[in-house]
Every structure is written in structure tokens, then in C-alpha cells.
């Protein structure tokens, strides 16, 4: 990525600055040419994909797909990602259900084939928004890892609070 978030200092002062400017910085980040090229390619090409095999064989598509779940480090594990997607989530013995990292389960349910929602513009927009969030957090993490974790926590807390887990969890 060519965009570097502006974080002038660490600690509370740096966090306050980032909190005030996060919307503007994320907009600049998402409008950068590298991110826009990847997102435009994904929005144009993903509706043409008919199988997990086609998805994993297109590195640019796969980068956005796994990047939208924070799994960008697995981009070279094509067979693994293909198996996660092909197994789906309906069978309790499916690979995504056996893994402790539930991002794989989300990946499998989002990119299951046949996937009629891939033709829906709102589907590609949701994936693109998730990709931008994850990629921006990574860019922030290159400057300050604690701030990346805090941004991730902010994004995840709403989902956690609305989930049906017990108070002890």
C-alpha cells in the first residue's frame, strides 16, 4: 500500500489524533489508486466466478476475498482456502467448522458456491468495505500496532455486544 496513515505520536495524544481523523484518513486510503484498482477489479470480475477453484486461481480476487476477513497472510495457501470454501459451513465436519479461527467460517459462508448473491452489488460493496477496513487497520498497524488492535476492537465490539453469548464469555 502506498498510503501511510498519519499518526504523529503514540499514547493517548496519538490515539486522540487518530480518532479525530480516522474517517478522513480512511477515505483517502480507500481512494488511493492501489486500493481502488483492486476493488474495481473485484467488483467487475467476481460476478463471473463460478467456483472456489476460479476464485483461488485469480490472485487479485483472492487478495480482496481473504483480505476482507483479515486472512491476507493465507493468500499463498490456495489449496487450504479452496478447501475451506468448498466444504462450506453446513456440515459439522466441514473444515471451517473445525478450525478455532471463526474468520474461516465467515469466509466459507460468504464465498460459498453456487453463490447467487455474487451478482448483487450490495454483496460486492460489503466485501469491499470489509477489505478497506482491514487494509486500513493493517496500514495503521505498520505505524503503531497498538492502534491497529484498538481499531479492530472498536469494529468488533458492536458484533460482540449484539451476539448471543453469555455474560461470562
Amino acid at each position: 500500500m502506498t498510503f501511510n496513515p498519519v499518526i504523529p505520536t503514540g499514547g493517548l495524544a496519538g490515539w486522540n489524533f487518530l480518532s479525530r481523523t480516522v474517517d478522513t484518513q480512511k477515505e483517502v486510503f480507500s481512494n488511493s489508486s492501489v486500493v481502488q484498482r483492486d476493488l474495481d477489479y473485484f467488483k467487475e470480475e467476481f460476478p463471473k466466478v463460478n467456483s472456489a477453484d476460479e476464485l483461488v486461481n485469480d490472485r487479485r480476487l483472492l487478495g480482496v476475498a481473504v483480505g476482507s476477513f483479515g486472512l491476507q497472510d493465507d493468500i499463498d495457501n490456495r489449496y487450504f482456502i479452496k478447501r475451506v470454501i468448498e466444504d462450506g459451513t453446513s456440515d459439522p465436519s466441514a473444515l471451517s467448522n473445525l478450525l478455532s479461527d471463526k474468520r474461516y467460517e465467515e469466509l466459507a459462508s460468504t464465498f460459498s458456491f453456487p453463490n447467487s448473491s455474487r451478482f448483487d452489488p450490495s454483496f460486492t460493496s460489503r466485501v469491499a468495505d470489509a477489505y478497506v477496513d482491514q487494509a486500513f487497520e493493517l496500514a495503521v498497524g505498520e505505524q503503531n500496532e497498538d492502534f491497529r488492535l484498538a481499531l479492530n476492537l472498536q469494529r468488533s465490539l458492536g458484533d460482540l455486544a449484539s451476539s448471543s453469548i453469555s455474560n461470562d464469555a
Side-chain angles (χ1 to χ4, degrees):
M1 302 286 157
T2 59
F3 176 82
N4 287 323
V6 177
I7 303 173
T9 185
L12 184 59
W15 177 250
N16 286 338
F17 178 83
L18 180 60
S19 295
R20 280 193 317 271
T21 62
V22 70
D23 293 333
T24 305
Q25 290 197 57
K26 192 182 286 188
E27 183 178 339
V28 170
F29 174 79
S30 68
N31 290 329
S32 69
S33 61
V34 174
V35 173
Q36 274 305 305
R37 276 195 305 266
D38 287 343
L39 294 179
D40 290 343
Y41 183 80
F42 181 82
K43 289 176 181 178
E44 182 179 324
E45 296 298 321
F46 184 71
K48 301 173 187 173
V49 173
N50 295 309
S51 68
D53 195 41
E54 290 178 25
L55 177 62
V56 299
N57 286 327
D58 187 326
R59 189 170 176 85
R60 286 180 72 188
L61 286 178
L62 184 61
V64 173
V66 295
S68 65
F69 294 97
L71 299 169
Q72 58 281 345
D73 292 338
D74 283 338
I75 193 166
D76 292 324
N77 299 328
R78 293 183 349 196
Y79 179 77
F80 175 72
I81 296 298
K82 178 183 170 188
R83 170 107 188 271
V84 165
I85 294 171
E86 286 180 340
D87 280 3
T89 59
S90 58
D91 183 2
S93 64
L95 181 59
S96 64
N97 293 330
L98 299 175
L99 297 169
S100 62
D101 190 343
K102 293 305 170 191
R103 295 178 299 174
Y104 293 104
E105 188 176 346
E106 293 175 42
L107 177 75
S109 66
T110 300
F111 292 101
S112 62
F113 290 94
N115 184 347
S116 60
S117 65
R118 73 182 186 274
F119 301 112
D120 183 6
S122 68
F123 172 82
T124 54
S125 292
R126 284 192 313 272
V127 172
D129 290 345
Y131 174 76
V132 168
D133 288 343
Q134 292 285 342
F136 180 73
E137 288 171 11
L138 282 174
V140 167
E142 290 175 10
Q143 304 291 318
N144 187 314
E145 184 65 19
D146 294 332
F147 291 172
R148 181 193 68 80
L149 293 172
L151 286 174
N152 182 287
L153 181 64
Q154 271 187 333
R155 183 177 42 79
S156 302
L157 273 179
D159 295 336
L160 185 61
S162 66
S163 70
S164 62
I165 60 174
S166 70
N167 289 337
D168 293 336

